[in-house]
Amino acid sequence: MIRSNDAQFEFWQDLAPGWLASEGHTELVSASFGDAAMNRLALRPGDRVVDIGCGAGSTTLALAKAVGPTGQAVGIDIAPAMVKAAQEHARDEDIEHALFVTADAQVDDLGDGIYDAAYSRFGVMFFADPVSAFANIRRSLRPEGRLAFACWTNIFANEWMFVPGSAVVSVTGALPPMPGPGEPGPFSLEDPRHLEAVLRESGFTHIEITPQEESIVIPLEEIEALAALSSRVGPVREALRTADAITASAIEQAVRGALSGRIEHDELKLGASALIVTAHT
């Protein structure tokens, strides 16, 4: 039975303004992984591709450029604010064959066999029922259609989130409640065996899962912006949601201090780790 994804709709509606404000730094953390997944699709001119969880649309616009004006890239996102921002970016770049739709990839009709490929950069970890969601995505693909996406491995391998999260513990003595195994959240697909089982149950074949690690280099002048991004996602955001003013101020100072403490030679390096996943219908 398909379960409602309403909780994720509310979550991303609430998160969208801060996420959009941090768009540049989100790109810094996630771009290399997204590029790796996109390259695995081997898109051709004229292909039609759907971008799951397109956010502000940068990945959809890149997909549109890859398929050319004879093709089409359709970005879908559960948050209307994200879709509106993506539409504005498409107008700014004058890319008419990139379309954006507010939709929930888990439960909404994405079409039946209309896409050559499906793609996502960190947009597939938030489904309440991932098997139903991936099955829905698969139905939208043509025979021999391709799927490629990037998803995070565990939090300990992702210092860009773990270091700020540790700063929360230094103030409060404990991490705030985080999603449990299998629950929607940034690390819900961190286990390759679980991920492969989900994709197989959804009907995908020829599944390949490749770990990729990166060192994210952040210039000194960008650290304050990274601290701001940290306050809008993950454990820091959860801690700030329930903290009083004094505790919130202490958490924010601790996050800045933790990041500054990692500076060497006027730059900050933080590890990031993801899985690059491909599959076929």
Side-chain angles (χ1 to χ4, degrees):
M1 178 181 295
I2 295 177
R3 292 175 286 159
S4 171
N5 217 26
D6 288 349
Q8 287 301 310
F9 172 81
E10 295 174 2
F11 174 82
W12 284 104
Q13 275 290 87
D14 180 55
L15 189 64
W19 191 266
L20 292 171
S22 303
E23 183 180 356
H25 300 281
T26 303
E27 290 287 322
L28 183 64
V29 171
S30 60
S32 62
F33 301 109
D35 290 346
M38 196 175 297
N39 290 338
R40 300 285 180 89
L41 279 180
L43 293 170
R44 301 176 292 265
D47 277 350
R48 194 175 191 208
V49 56
V50 61
D51 185 4
I52 308 298
C54 66
S58 64
T59 50
T60 312
L61 297 182
L63 292 166
K65 293 172 183 176
V67 301
T70 60
Q72 187 180 58
V74 179
I76 67 170
D77 201 279
I78 199 170
M82 299 286 202
V83 171
K84 181 180 178 182
Q87 291 170 333
E88 292 172 353
H89 288 168
R91 284 193 292 268
D92 290 343
E93 295 198 30
D94 195 26
I95 299 179
E96 296 183 355
H97 59 291
L99 304 179
F100 297 93
V101 179
T102 301
D104 181 349
Q106 178 174 306
V107 298
D108 290 336
D109 184 3
L110 305 181
D112 187 5
I114 62 174
Y115 296 109
D116 299 288
Y119 169 87
S120 184
R121 186 181 74 182
F122 303 112
V124 295
M125 302 92 68
F126 303 94
F127 299 128
D129 186 341
V131 171
S132 294
F134 280 110
N136 195 36
I137 294 167
R138 183 183 179 277
R139 280 191 294 271
S140 76
L141 294 172
R142 294 170 179 156
E144 300 183 6
R146 297 103 67 197
L147 168 69
F149 63 87
C151 62
W152 298 118
T153 61
N154 65 79
I155 188 171
F156 302 104
N158 283 283
E159 294 180 319
W160 63 275
M161 192 179 291
F162 179 70
V163 171
S166 297
V168 172
V169 177
S170 73
V171 174
T172 65
L175 279 172
M178 295 292 287
E183 295 180 350
F187 306 108
S188 68
L189 300 176
E190 66 177 73
D191 182 351
R193 290 174 297 180
H194 167 69
L195 174 54
E196 181 174 0
V198 166
L199 291 174
R200 289 201 183 281
E201 190 174 348
S202 304
F204 282 99
T205 63
H206 298 90
I207 299 162
E208 294 186 8
I209 302 173
T210 306
Q212 179 170 316
E213 296 184 354
E214 299 285 347
S215 181
I216 301 168
V217 180
I218 299 149
L220 194 62
E221 63 271 17
E222 299 291 332
I223 292 176
E224 182 64 28
L226 177 64
L229 170 62
S230 299
S231 71
R232 298 181 179 118
V233 297
V236 179
R237 177 182 183 272
E238 294 303 311
L240 290 174
R241 288 178 65 187
T242 57
D244 57 44
I246 293 175
T247 303
S249 177
I251 289 171
E252 290 170 348
Q253 289 181 22
V255 168
R256 292 186 182 92
L259 293 173
S260 297
R262 298 288 296 269
I263 294 172
E264 292 183 6
H265 308 297
D266 292 331
E267 63 183 18
L268 170 65
K269 290 185 179 180
L270 295 172
S273 177
L275 300 174
I276 310 302
V277 184
T278 59
H280 293 77
T281 55

